[in-house]
C-alpha cells in the first residue's frame, strides 16, 4: 500500500523567506503527483500537477520537483507572503486513476 | 463551468439518522471521487466512479455507506444509521483526461460537506 509522508507537519516563517515543503512516498510506481492548498474549513485547491515523466513544474512563485526513484517531491515557495498561510497537501496518483493517496499536510504560517 | 459543487455544505444530524450528500462534478468529467477528511489529517479515499460505474470502494467503508452516480453525471453519498465517528468533511472531486479547460488529469475538489453527528 502506498504511504505518503509530509515533513514538517507545521512551519512558521517570516514574510519574504523562501521555503521548501517535503513529500515522500513508498511506492515509486506512480502516474503523477499533485500539490494542493487547503484553507481552514475549505476544500482543496490544485496548485501543481507533475506527471511521472516530468522532473518539475513551475507556476508563479511555486516550483514543484519530482524524483520518482527516491520517492520524493518538494514544493518550493519563493518570497513567501502572509496570504500563503494554509495547509499544503501532496497526493500521489496511481496508473489506473482509481485512487489518490494523500499525506497529512504541512501547515504553513507566514508571519507579517 | 463553476467547478465541483457539493450540497449541503453543512449538516448536523442525530445519531442513527440517515444523511445524503450530493456532488455535481465539472461537466464532462468522467472520473469522480469521494474522500473523507478529519481535522489534522489528509483526505482518505472512499470510492471512485468512472462514468456511472463504481470501480473502487475502500475497504474502510462500512455497509452503512453507499454511493451512486446515475447516468455518469452527479453523484450521491448516503450514510445510513449515522454514528459519531462519521463526523468529518466529505469531499468530492472530479477529473478527466479529455481535452478542454479542466483536463489533463488534474483533480478538482469541491468545497466539501461538513457532517456533525450529535
Amino acid at each position: 500500500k502506498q504511504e505518503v509522508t509530509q515533513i514538517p507537519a507545521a512551519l512558521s516563517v517570516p514574510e519574504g523567506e523562501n521555503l521548501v515543503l517535503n513529500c515522500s512516498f513508498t511506492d515509486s510506481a506512480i502516474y503523477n503527483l499533485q500539490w494542493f492548498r487547503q484553507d481552514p474549513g475549505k476544500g482543496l485547491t490544485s496548485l501543481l500537477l507533475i506527471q511521472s515523466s516530468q522532473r518539475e513544474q513551475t507556476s508563479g512563485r511555486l516550483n514543484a520537483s519530482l524524483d520518482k526513484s527516491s520517492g520524493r517531491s518538494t514544493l518550493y515557495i519563493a518570497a513567501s507572503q502572509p496570504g500563503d498561510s494554509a495547509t499544503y497537501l501532496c497526493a500521489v496518483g496511481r496508473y489506473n486513476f482509481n485512487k489518490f493517496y494523500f499525506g497529512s499536510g504541512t501547515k504553513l504560517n507566514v508571519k507579517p | 463551468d463553476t467547478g465541483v459543487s457539493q450540497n449541503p455544505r453543512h449538516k448536523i444530524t442525530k445519531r442513527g439518522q440517515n444523511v445524503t450528500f450530493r456532488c455535481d462534478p465539472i461537466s464532462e468529467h468522467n472520473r469522480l471521487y469521494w474522500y473523507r477528511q478529519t481535522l489534522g489529517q489528509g483526505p482518505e479515499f472512499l470510492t471512485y466512479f468512472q462514468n456511472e460505474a463504481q470501480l473502487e470502494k475502500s475497504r474502510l467503508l462500512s455497509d452503512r455507506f453507499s454511493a451512486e452516480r446515475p447516468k455518469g453525471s452527479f453523484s450521491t453519498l448516503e450514510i445510513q444509521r449515522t454514528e459519531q465517528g462519521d463526523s468529518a468533511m466529505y469531499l468530492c472531486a472530479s477529473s478527466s483526461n479529455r481535452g478542454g479547460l479542466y483536463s489533463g488529469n488534474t483533480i478538482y475538489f469541491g468545497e466539501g460537506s461538513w457532517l456533525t453527528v450529535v
Side-chain angles (χ1 to χ4, degrees):
Chain A
K1 181 193 171 189
Q2 179 75 269
E3 300 283 345
V4 181
T5 304
Q6 290 189 246
I7 294 173
L11 182 63
S12 184
V13 300
E15 181 178 4
E17 271 204 8
N18 302 325
L19 57 100
V20 175
L21 307 181
N22 297 291
C23 172
S24 61
F25 46 95
T26 55
D27 185 351
S28 61
I30 67 171
Y31 187 79
N32 56 29
L33 185 145
Q34 196 163 349
W35 282 93
F36 294 88
R37 169 188 172 132
Q38 186 173 33
D39 293 295
K42 301 290 187 179
L44 282 67
T45 300
S46 177
L47 297 174
L48 288 165
L49 171 73
I50 310 178
Q51 305 291 357
S52 62
S53 58
Q54 297 174 319
R55 297 283 293 183
E56 64 179 297
Q57 280 285 345
T58 298
S59 175
R61 295 183 294 109
L62 305 180
N63 176 277
S65 68
L66 174 63
D67 185 342
K68 268 183 55 177
S69 61
S70 66
R72 294 183 180 183
S73 175
T74 61
L75 179 67
Y76 174 83
I77 302 177
S80 58
Q81 303 170 358
D84 295 331
S85 297
T87 296
Y88 291 81
L89 295 142
C90 70
V92 173
R94 292 167 59 171
Y95 276 89
N96 55 0
F97 301 104
N98 64 344
K99 187 182 296 186
F100 290 84
Y101 297 91
F102 281 84
S104 295
T106 294
K107 187 174 183 179
L108 173 65
N109 178 36
V110 181
K111 298 172 289 186
Chain B
D1 201 314
T2 57
V4 179
S5 177
Q6 293 189 244
N7 289 288
R9 292 294 318 282
H10 300 274
K11 180 73 175 178
I12 300 174
T13 190
K14 292 183 178 179
R15 187 176 55 185
Q17 297 294 306
N18 299 343
V19 296
T20 299
F21 299 112
R22 176 179 169 124
C23 171
D24 288 273
I26 292 172
S27 58
E28 299 180 355
H29 270 191
N30 57 334
R31 304 181 189 128
L32 187 145
Y33 309 84
W34 284 99
Y35 280 80
R36 177 172 65 187
Q37 187 179 26
T38 54
L39 284 175
Q41 300 298 313
E44 176 187 35
F45 173 78
L46 293 179
T47 192
Y48 164 68
F49 289 86
Q50 183 167 308
N51 299 311
E52 67 276 7
Q54 186 175 22
L55 298 184
E56 181 128 359
K57 185 176 177 181
S58 170
R59 284 173 291 178
L60 299 174
L61 221 58
S62 74
D63 291 341
R64 296 185 297 105
F65 288 72
S66 63
E68 295 182 340
R69 192 184 183 195
K71 303 178 183 179
S73 56
F74 71 92
S75 175
T76 58
L77 176 68
E78 181 183 19
I79 309 173
Q80 297 181 326
R81 305 182 303 282
T82 53
E83 301 173 356
Q84 288 189 321
D86 297 331
S87 296
M89 181 164 65
Y90 291 84
L91 291 159
C92 177
S94 67
S95 73
S96 172
N97 61 347
R98 302 169 184 164
L101 182 61
Y102 296 101
S103 65
N105 297 317
T106 297
I107 47 175
Y108 295 89
F109 279 84
E111 288 295 314
S113 293
W114 281 99
L115 174 64
T116 302
V117 181
V118 297

